[in-house]
Amino acid sequence: MSEFDAATAVHRVAEGRYRADLDPGFAFGGVINGGYLMALLTKAAHDASPFPHPISTATTFLRAGRGGPAEITVETLRAGRSVATLRLAVVQEGRTLLDATMTTGTLTAGAAAGWAGAAPAMPALDECSTPARRPGGDSFADRVELRFDTSTLGWLDGRPIGRPEMRGWFRLPGHEPDAAVLALAVDALPPVVLNLGVKGWAPTVELTWHMRGVPAPGWLAMHAGGRLFSDGWFDEEVEIWDSAGRLVAQSRQIARAGRG
Amino acid sequence: MSEFDAATAVHRVAEGRYRADLDPGFAFGGVINGGYLMALLTKAAHDASPFPHPISTATTFLRAGRGGPAEITVETLRAGRSVATLRLAVVQEGRTLLDATMTTGTLTAGAAAGWAGAAPAMPALDECSTPARRPGGDSFADRVELRFDTSTLGWLDGRPIGRPEMRGWFRLPGHEPDAAVLALAVDALPPVVLNLGVKGWAPTVELTWHMRGVPAPGWLAMHAGGRLFSDGWFDEEVEIWDSAGRLVAQSRQIARAGRG
């Protein structure tokens, strides 16, 4: 079992109830990463649903999670012949951290697209930069492999590029991409508004992501953009492309920023 | 009261319960339009929430609705100082048509954007085409004013343009745009896959939309696109721009198509 599978393991304790242990290694400043929580949802759904793939997951983040025990609840809203709809929640110390509605189905590995948009441009892996890791570190950056498109790293040197963009390559050590990895990946990049010079915490309020294909082994390309930052709210769209050049996941989140 | 307000009126019958009468004039082939149902959600939320605007609404469509009585249920998941999160459902004859999670808040009319993407190109209103209306007709096309960008109408003549695009102008007779109109507008265009030559019903499985600004009076510009049609699933993104040139709503839906 990979480190990631161990960190996102869920244990069925009753019909529609799963126990998990939120891994503080997937936190920023003590707050558990939203993508990690969404990865837990895919694990619970994989057990609870008759269909393997989380085609659509709409997640509302209600409260910040911390490392430690949590419970995942799953209720089937409707089970059809080819799709099932579940409502899920992650609860910690009696408080709901997030509430999600998921539609599961079956995607065909290697399906040929009827139509596909062009993949956004991305520099080759060896032209991208690796964030510094601390020896023996135990944070999000130590659990995943991220290589950034340096043209979107201006914010890091106090020179935000003036556009809500962020790009990078992503993989997990010893774990090929699957639905749980895609759930993690769609929320793994720093907020795009860092490149608008917006500082401080940018809490996600809602994130909907769609699994669009069964990912091929290898690195994932992550492209994040946005359309509007206004009135303290911004949207962020992420596309995940696999090593075979297929769009395998897409997300949009709405988040708050600029409130000091 | 405008025709639209009458058709989307909700009546509070108890704490968190509203009665509505689904108007068959907002149906296609007997199936009530999803945007109309989402408009009803905004009406119920406007009564139930302490905040006026549906910042984020994630809707899962479970069953087709028909004209006639229905009930809308609203449960508050969390009410904070500046946002509240609601869970809503539309129920007809004991069956849940849709399940939604909504975050409400307060948008500032005329807010200046911190950053905004460019509006997509759109032909002027008088260069767009008006769909034929039947005298005395009582369908969706008779309830709204739609003018299509003719460069995206190839599908209508059996010459799909080969790209998942659809554009048009939209307004409601005698009713300036508000949250309910935006909810209707994000699902008012024909499915983009018609322009890929895909025929038949294209049922929406999930649609998340965000209200991004308080719309100015006048026509709304609607731009629909998509990124992938594969394995029987397609995504459709819609942006709604107001007459002042502001992005006031954005949506993404995932839908099924090509199943005959």
Side-chain angles (χ1 to χ4, degrees):
Chain A
M1 186 187 271
S2 73
E3 182 186 55
F4 177 69
D5 274 334
T8 55
V10 300
H11 307 277
R12 193 170 186 273
V13 292
E15 176 80 21
R17 286 180 52 211
Y18 296 83
R19 179 173 53 77
D21 195 36
L22 306 191
D23 183 340
F26 285 92
F28 292 94
V31 175
I32 294 286
N33 171 253
Y36 169 84
L37 294 176
M38 296 192 298
L40 290 178
L41 298 182
T42 70
K43 295 292 184 86
H46 196 270
D47 185 81
S49 166
F51 307 110
H53 299 127
I55 306 281
S56 174
T57 307
T59 309
T60 299
F61 293 90
L62 295 165
R63 293 175 185 88
R66 307 281 162 181
E71 187 172 85
I72 299 159
T73 60
V74 186
E75 172 195 0
T76 299
L77 299 180
R78 184 169 194 233
R81 276 177 300 126
S82 55
V83 296
T85 303
L86 315 173
R87 187 188 185 201
L88 303 101
V90 178
V91 180
Q92 189 171 46
E93 294 174 357
R95 301 161 77 237
T96 302
L97 306 185
L98 66 80
D99 191 89
T101 306
M102 182 188 288
T103 297
T104 57
T106 306
L107 296 169
T108 313
W115 187 90
M122 181 80 145
L125 196 56
D126 60 9
E127 293 165 17
C128 290
S129 81
T130 309
R133 291 179 175 222
R134 298 169 300 163
D138 190 30
S139 74
F140 188 84
D142 304 298
R143 296 299 182 91
V144 305
E145 286 191 81
L146 263 169
R147 299 206 189 163
F148 288 101
D149 176 347
T150 54
S151 75
T152 64
L153 279 186
W155 62 277
L156 205 53
D157 302 319
R159 288 192 293 272
I161 63 174
R163 301 184 308 278
E165 292 178 15
M166 206 72 75
R167 288 184 291 277
W169 296 93
F170 182 85
R171 74 172 177 186
L172 287 180
H175 190 100
E176 293 298 352
D178 58 15
V181 174
L182 295 177
L184 187 67
V186 295
D187 200 31
L189 284 166
V192 289
V193 288
L194 290 174
N195 268 326
L196 297 179
V198 176
K199 289 171 183 161
W201 199 37
T204 303
V205 169
E206 201 277 341
L207 189 154
T208 299
W209 77 278
H210 304 304
M211 181 171 178
R212 302 304 309 275
V214 179
W219 287 86
L220 299 169
M222 308 190 293
H223 305 259
R227 295 289 288 153
L228 181 67
F229 169 46
S230 178
D231 225 4
W233 295 91
F234 70 97
D235 60 293
E236 176 171 320
E237 286 78 54
V238 176
E239 289 190 354
I240 309 286
W241 293 72
D242 73 1
S243 63
R246 278 194 296 258
L247 178 60
V248 290
Q250 54 188 165
S251 71
R252 175 180 284 151
Q253 63 173 274
I254 185 113
R256 308 179 86 176
R259 288 169 181 259
Chain B
M1 185 187 269
S2 73
E3 182 186 55
F4 177 68
D5 273 333
T8 55
V10 300
H11 307 276
R12 194 171 186 273
V13 291
E15 174 79 23
R17 285 180 53 211
Y18 298 83
R19 179 172 52 77
D21 195 37
L22 306 191
D23 182 342
F26 285 92
F28 292 95
V31 175
I32 294 286
N33 172 253
Y36 169 83
L37 295 176
M38 296 192 298
L40 290 178
L41 298 183
T42 70
K43 295 291 185 88
H46 197 271
D47 185 81
S49 165
F51 307 110
H53 300 129
I55 306 281
S56 174
T57 308
T59 309
T60 300
F61 293 90
L62 296 164
R63 294 175 185 88
R66 306 282 163 182
E71 186 172 85
I72 299 160
T73 61
V74 186
E75 172 195 0
T76 299
L77 299 179
R78 183 167 193 233
R81 275 177 301 127
S82 55
V83 296
T85 304
L86 314 173
R87 188 188 185 201
L88 304 102
V90 179
V91 181
Q92 189 171 47
E93 294 173 358
R95 300 160 79 239
T96 302
L97 305 185
L98 65 80
D99 190 89
T101 306
M102 181 188 289
T103 297
T104 57
T106 306
L107 295 169
T108 312
W115 186 91
M122 181 81 146
L125 196 56
D126 61 8
E127 293 166 17
C128 290
S129 80
T130 309
R133 291 176 175 223
R134 297 170 300 163
D138 190 29
S139 73
F140 188 84
D142 304 297
R143 296 301 182 92
V144 305
E145 286 191 81
L146 262 168
R147 299 208 189 160
F148 288 101
D149 176 346
T150 54
S151 75
T152 64
L153 279 187
W155 62 276
L156 206 52
D157 302 319
R159 288 192 294 271
I161 62 174
R163 301 183 310 278
E165 291 177 16
M166 207 71 76
R167 286 185 292 277
W169 296 92
F170 182 85
R171 72 172 178 188
L172 287 180
H175 190 101
E176 293 299 352
D178 58 13
V181 174
L182 295 177
L184 186 68
V186 295
D187 201 30
L189 284 166
V192 289
V193 290
L194 290 174
N195 267 327
L196 298 178
V198 176
K199 289 170 183 162
W201 198 37
T204 303
V205 170
E206 201 276 341
L207 189 154
T208 299
W209 77 279
H210 303 304
M211 181 172 179
R212 302 304 309 278
V214 179
W219 287 85
L220 298 168
M222 308 190 293
H223 305 260
R227 294 291 288 153
L228 181 67
F229 169 46
S230 178
D231 224 5
W233 295 91
F234 70 98
D235 60 293
E236 177 171 318
E237 285 79 53
V238 175
E239 289 190 353
I240 309 286
W241 293 72
D242 73 2
S243 63
R246 277 195 297 257
L247 177 62
V248 289
Q250 53 187 165
S251 71
R252 175 179 284 151
Q253 63 172 274
I254 185 112
R256 308 180 84 175
R259 288 169 183 259

